[in-house]
Amino acid sequence: MRAGSTVVVLYGPKAAGKSWVAGELARRAGVRHVDADAVVLDLLDRGARPDPRLGWLDPVEAEVRRALAEHPLVSVEATGAWDSDWLLADRLAASGVRVVPVWITAPLEVTLQRLAARRSRKVPVSRPDAVWIHSEATRRAAERSFAAVLDLSGPPDRSTLDPLLALLP
């Protein structure tokens, strides 16, 4: 891990727009993205099962740390619906990494429409689970502070990212 490393943790419900933000951060600011969905899908393909308490925290954190060894600025996505999502940021911060927490929001109806139209390979989620994740992540986020809050209710607008880009080194 490099001195002065920063991790942007993109929190938000499924299909709120976290992957779009990660892609824009990569294009506009050179942020290396760790795709937690890709990590989990690879583990599932190999027959792995999540830890009963920590879920996929350890393998996702390991990927973030590998990325930090090569890049000073990394992003990763988490819904915020589970304790382990918040523990990732806590562990990184405890090890000296600057963590920039970002909440990405969109109404439930919008996220459900996006999920129904999704064609990219992501960790599968049922509609009832997506509803629960949206509710739980939103509830937990209300108890937290964020460096930036991005509302992606409508079509993507690159200017939405300007407040976040201003926070990056």
Side-chain angles (χ1 to χ4, degrees), residues 15-124:
K18 299 181 301 289
S19 294
W20 178 81
V21 171
E24 286 297 307
L25 288 175
R27 282 187 283 286
R28 294 173 61 187
V31 177
R32 167 78 196 293
H33 182 61
V34 172
D35 186 341
D37 275 305
V39 172
V40 171
L41 287 168
D42 180 58
L43 290 164
L44 289 170
D45 287 347
R46 291 190 277 139
R49 293 285 161 244
D51 180 276
R53 190 173 66 80
L54 296 177
W56 301 108
L57 173 62
D58 290 338
V60 170
E61 181 181 353
E63 281 301 313
V64 169
R65 290 186 184 280
R66 273 193 278 284
L68 285 170
E70 299 176 12
H71 304 275
L73 193 51
V74 173
S75 70
V76 64
E77 302 170 37
T79 66
W82 292 273
D83 290 340
S84 59
D85 292 340
W86 305 101
L87 189 54
L88 173 63
D90 294 343
R91 284 182 174 184
L92 292 168
S95 70
V97 174
R98 177 178 174 240
V99 175
V100 178
V102 177
W103 176 247
I104 300 170
T105 185
L108 175 62
E109 303 76 33
V110 171
T111 63
L112 293 175
Q113 289 171 355
R114 289 176 182 165
L115 280 171
R118 187 178 267 175
R119 299 293 172 249
S120 58
R121 188 164 186 247
K122 296 283 190 177
V123 173

Side-chain angles (χ1 to χ4, degrees), residues 13 80-81 103 108 129-141:
W103 176 247
L108 175 62
D129 285 347
V131 170
W132 179 86
I133 290 167
H134 191 284
S135 173
E136 188 64 13
T138 301
R139 182 188 69 75
R140 288 173 179 245

